[in-house]
Amino acid sequence: MAQFHERRMLLASKVEVTEGTREAPVGADANLIAYDATFEADVAQFERRPLQITNNPYSSVPGGRRGKVTFKIEHKGSGTAGTVPALGKLLKAAGFGETVVAVTSVTYAPIIVVIPTLTIDLFSLPESGNHLRASLKGCRCSGLKLPGSVGNPGMWEFEFSGVYDGVTDQAALVPSGLETTKPPALLAAAFTIHSFAPKVSKIDLDLGIAGTYRSDLNLAAGYLSYAVVEHKPMLAFDPEKELVATLDFYGKMLSAVEAAYTYKFDGGAGNICTISGPKSQILKVSEGSRGGLAIFNVDAKLNGSAGNDALAIAFT
């Protein structure tokens, strides 16, 4: 009898040529260093409750087959400026357009059209023999966050939704092409908002992805894929309290004034990631404490100025 360990797992993802049609990942498609991966099947069950003279339940009828997989991915660049990072395909399937400038940068900005789908396989590895493979196809990102706290590396928190494509025993898949760069700690972040550099211990980015499944009763699973329909990006941070004369957080909230923001994870050339945008709008300010210091807890909405510029993630 096979025995499985919770960390002996392997995540592989491959861009689909045809939306909702499975692509078989190979070793090079398992080039992501992932953490805390989970797989969840979501198969609709029609409950049959006819008129009857007993209390015995009837068997349910399985219907549409969906599923989701969640995992974390290290936030880091490829190590070479202008070379796409391994997590790039995941960001594209989350609704980001990718712009590559040779030997200079790779930048991602939210889009809604021409978003690729992925086949995602999660392998559980016993001590020997075949692997247990749980598979989804037609996947797009349904949730994406990047929490950041002082002195710690960034870790993308992905949730992908797609069409359930079975759980089977499969031959071993050997990963290749793993990035050797290390994720940079959130230090020397150069965080500014409203042309001010607040003293914060954390800054959390939430892409605010909204989406839905594309139904198709001609398909055996009942669905073609998951579709991203909207982004509502938000930024949350915890500055020390400031005088109104220094930065009027409450006044900015009441006036709905917008201002640029920027911060970065700096791991050196080829591994610098700068997150920025032209118009942040403070929506909520509440009071709190951090180790005895009085702070504000601030939620800011990230708005666009022209085109898809509400948020840019640039690797340089």
Side-chain angles (χ1 to χ4, degrees), residues 101-122:
V101 179
V103 305
T104 301
S105 64
V106 182
T107 303
Y108 297 89
I111 59 173
I112 291 300
V113 297
V114 197
I115 301 174
T117 53
L118 301 177
T119 294
I120 298 179
D121 288 348
L122 183 60

Side-chain angles (χ1 to χ4, degrees), residues 6-313:
E6 64 177 357
R7 288 182 55 210
R8 283 183 54 81
M9 302 180 76
L10 181 66
L11 181 76
S13 61
K14 188 168 185 175
V15 176
E16 294 174 347
V17 175
T18 302
E19 180 176 352
T21 298
R22 173 178 173 78
E23 295 285 337
V26 296
D29 300 310
N31 63 338
L32 293 161
I33 298 177
Y35 297 71
D36 303 334
T38 64
F39 177 88
E40 179 183 340
D42 179 14
V43 180
Q45 299 287 341
F46 177 79
E47 185 179 4
R48 300 162 63 209
R49 301 185 65 192
L51 300 175
Q52 58 183 26
I53 60 174
T54 71
N55 286 326
N56 292 331
Y58 278 61
S59 62
S60 299
V61 178
R65 306 169 193 172
R66 312 188 302 195
K68 68 176 59 176
V69 60
T70 63
F71 52 89
K72 298 177 183 178
I73 295 292
E74 292 180 344
H75 177 50
K76 61 183 183 179
S78 66
T80 303
T83 297
V84 173
L87 64 80
K89 60 184 173 182
L90 301 181
L91 294 177
K92 290 171 70 175
F96 282 90
E98 181 182 78
T99 302
V100 179
V101 179
V103 305
T104 301
S105 64
V106 182
T107 303
Y108 297 89
I111 59 173
I112 291 300
V113 297
V114 197
I115 301 174
T117 53
L118 301 177
T119 294
I120 298 179
D121 288 348
L122 183 60
F123 294 86
S124 297
L125 317 181
E127 294 179 354
S128 62
N130 286 337
H131 299 175
L132 183 67
R133 185 191 72 194
S135 184
L136 297 177
K137 61 182 180 180
C139 296
R140 291 188 177 99
C141 189
S142 51
L144 181 55
K145 298 179 180 180
L146 179 60
S149 60
V150 62
N152 291 313
M155 197 73 70
W156 288 99
E157 298 178 355
F158 284 95
E159 176 188 271
F160 274 88
S161 296
V163 180
Y164 175 80
D165 199 40
V167 175
T168 56
D169 296 336
Q170 295 291 325
L173 186 68
V174 179
S176 63
L178 291 173
E179 283 178 336
T180 58
T181 50
K182 295 181 180 179
L186 187 56
L187 296 168
F191 173 45
T192 61
I193 189 166
H194 288 277
S195 301
F196 178 70
K199 296 178 178 64
V200 305
S201 71
K202 63 180 182 179
I203 183 166
D204 298 338
L205 175 66
D206 186 341
L207 271 296
I209 295 175
T212 188
Y213 284 93
R214 300 186 68 188
S215 300
D216 189 343
L217 53 74
N218 288 323
L219 299 175
Y223 301 98
L224 172 65
S225 64
Y226 185 85
V228 175
V229 298
E230 190 175 16
H231 296 94
K232 296 180 179 180
M234 296 285 295
L235 204 63
F237 55 99
D238 64 342
E240 291 185 12
K241 272 190 176 182
E242 299 288 353
L243 292 171
V244 168
T246 304
L247 181 60
D248 185 1
F249 285 95
Y250 286 98
K252 301 296 186 187
M253 175 181 65
L254 292 172
S255 65
V257 66
E258 298 170 308
Y261 67 94
T262 184
Y263 68 103
K264 64 180 178 178
F265 294 76
D266 192 344
N271 196 18
I272 302 170
C273 177
T274 303
I275 298 171
S276 62
K279 291 189 174 184
S280 63
Q281 178 187 353
I282 294 175
L283 298 185
K284 182 179 180 180
V285 182
S286 61
E287 299 193 0
S289 64
R290 183 173 70 239
L293 293 174
I295 65 168
F296 292 134
N297 292 302
V298 180
D299 293 337
K301 179 184 176 186
L302 308 183
N303 299 325
S305 176
N308 298 310
D309 66 349
L311 168 69
I313 304 172

